[in-house]
Amino acid sequence: PTSCPPTPQAAFAHLALAFRCDMFTLQQRVLVEKRARDAAEENIQEELGQCRGALERLGPFCTDVGSKETLEQLQHSLTVLAAAVERATSAAEKLGAVHQEARMSRAAEVMVQHVENLKRHHLREHTELEEMKRLIQQNSRNRQLAETQDDMEPRLRPHPLMRSFQQGSARRRVSIAVIPKQLLVRTWAEG
């Protein structure tokens, strides 16, 4: 089964949980790492000190020129090694800081992406809310207009008896208009 990459929301939730957990143990971890670093530096300095001591003890036994030159080269190499150890320690701390910065950069990217998603979601909901408000206001205006027209119509409408009178007279007019003139003439003549 293939696993899908986590959504920005899930990645944000995992990241937030990791930050919360880290906050509880951060001071302890800093102390542990400091002790480990200090112990490593002390061990290196102790080794370098033992090498210097061995070279100093070896000095009186080097009587010829060749062995004295070799002893001087070893002492010089030991000095260079001590300086290199200090530079390596400093570089290791910088590298650790850069690694931490890279992790935090990724974490910040996840957070920014999550915030952007929240902004888009908020904007979409705000737009929908504004559209709903507009529709509700429009419906309210339409309802008020319809109620106003209903209130005005009884005044504009004729009384039911007047309406039937108007309809009856309209029918009579139509019926008179429909009767041919010849029939009318005959009816008058017979009458």
Side-chain angles (χ1 to χ4, degrees), residues 28-105:
Q28 291 174 335
R29 286 182 292 120
V30 166
L31 288 174
V32 167
E33 291 301 321
K34 255 182 143 178
R35 276 192 228 118
R37 184 201 62 189
D38 291 346
E41 285 180 356
E42 285 173 13
N43 290 340
I44 290 171
Q45 292 303 325
E46 188 178 331
E47 290 294 327
L48 289 173
Q50 287 177 3
C51 288
R52 281 190 199 103
L55 288 176
E56 284 175 11
R57 286 190 302 274
L58 191 60
F61 299 106
C62 298
T63 53
D64 60 68
V65 177
S67 58
K68 284 185 180 179
E69 284 179 6
T70 305
L71 184 64
E72 286 175 8
Q73 285 176 350
L74 285 172
Q75 287 173 336
H76 177 71
S77 296
L78 195 58
T79 304
V80 170
L81 182 62
V85 165
E86 286 182 23
R87 284 195 306 273
T89 302
S90 175
E93 286 181 2
K94 288 177 185 172
L95 179 62
V98 170
H99 280 287
Q100 183 62 20
E101 188 178 336
R103 282 193 295 270
M104 292 305 293
S105 174

Side-chain angles (χ1 to χ4, degrees), residues 1-190:
T2 58
S3 62
C4 298
T7 64
Q9 290 82 2
F12 180 82
H14 291 173
L15 196 57
L17 181 63
F19 277 134
R20 285 191 197 101
C21 292
D22 282 353
M23 290 304 292
F24 289 119
T25 61
L26 183 60
Q27 287 182 338
Q28 291 174 335
R29 286 182 292 120
V30 166
L31 288 174
V32 167
E33 291 301 321
K34 255 182 143 178
R35 276 192 228 118
R37 184 201 62 189
D38 291 346
E41 285 180 356
E42 285 173 13
N43 290 340
I44 290 171
Q45 292 303 325
E46 188 178 331
E47 290 294 327
L48 289 173
Q50 287 177 3
C51 288
R52 281 190 199 103
L55 288 176
E56 284 175 11
R57 286 190 302 274
L58 191 60
F61 299 106
C62 298
T63 53
D64 60 68
V65 177
S67 58
K68 284 185 180 179
E69 284 179 6
T70 305
L71 184 64
E72 286 175 8
Q73 285 176 350
L74 285 172
Q75 287 173 336
H76 177 71
S77 296
L78 195 58
T79 304
V80 170
L81 182 62
V85 165
E86 286 182 23
R87 284 195 306 273
T89 302
S90 175
E93 286 181 2
K94 288 177 185 172
L95 179 62
V98 170
H99 280 287
Q100 183 62 20
E101 188 178 336
R103 282 193 295 270
M104 292 305 293
S105 174
R106 175 65 188 135
E109 182 183 336
V110 168
M111 289 182 170
V112 167
Q113 190 176 12
H114 181 66
V115 168
E116 289 298 321
N117 285 344
L118 288 176
K119 280 182 183 175
R120 280 194 296 275
H121 184 70
H122 174 72
L123 183 63
R124 186 170 55 243
E125 285 187 347
H126 180 72
T127 305
E128 289 173 3
L129 180 65
E130 290 299 318
E131 181 64 19
M132 288 297 283
K133 279 183 184 176
R134 191 185 64 74
L135 288 173
I136 288 170
Q137 287 173 350
Q138 185 178 357
N139 286 343
S140 176
R141 280 194 297 263
N142 289 346
R143 191 176 300 122
Q144 287 173 354
L145 183 61
E147 287 173 0
T148 305
Q149 286 178 348
D150 285 349
D151 290 346
M152 291 176 64
E153 273 187 18
R155 282 183 250 143
L156 296 176
R157 286 185 200 151
H159 192 272
L161 291 175
M162 279 296 281
R163 201 175 322 140
S164 63
F165 174 73
Q166 287 173 347
Q167 289 173 352
S169 64
R171 272 193 220 115
R172 258 184 261 122
R173 276 189 300 236
V174 170
S175 60
I176 292 171
V178 171
I179 299 171
K181 285 185 180 181
Q182 297 163 350
L183 268 156
L184 281 174
V185 172
R186 221 184 284 157
T187 310
W188 281 100
E190 290 172 358

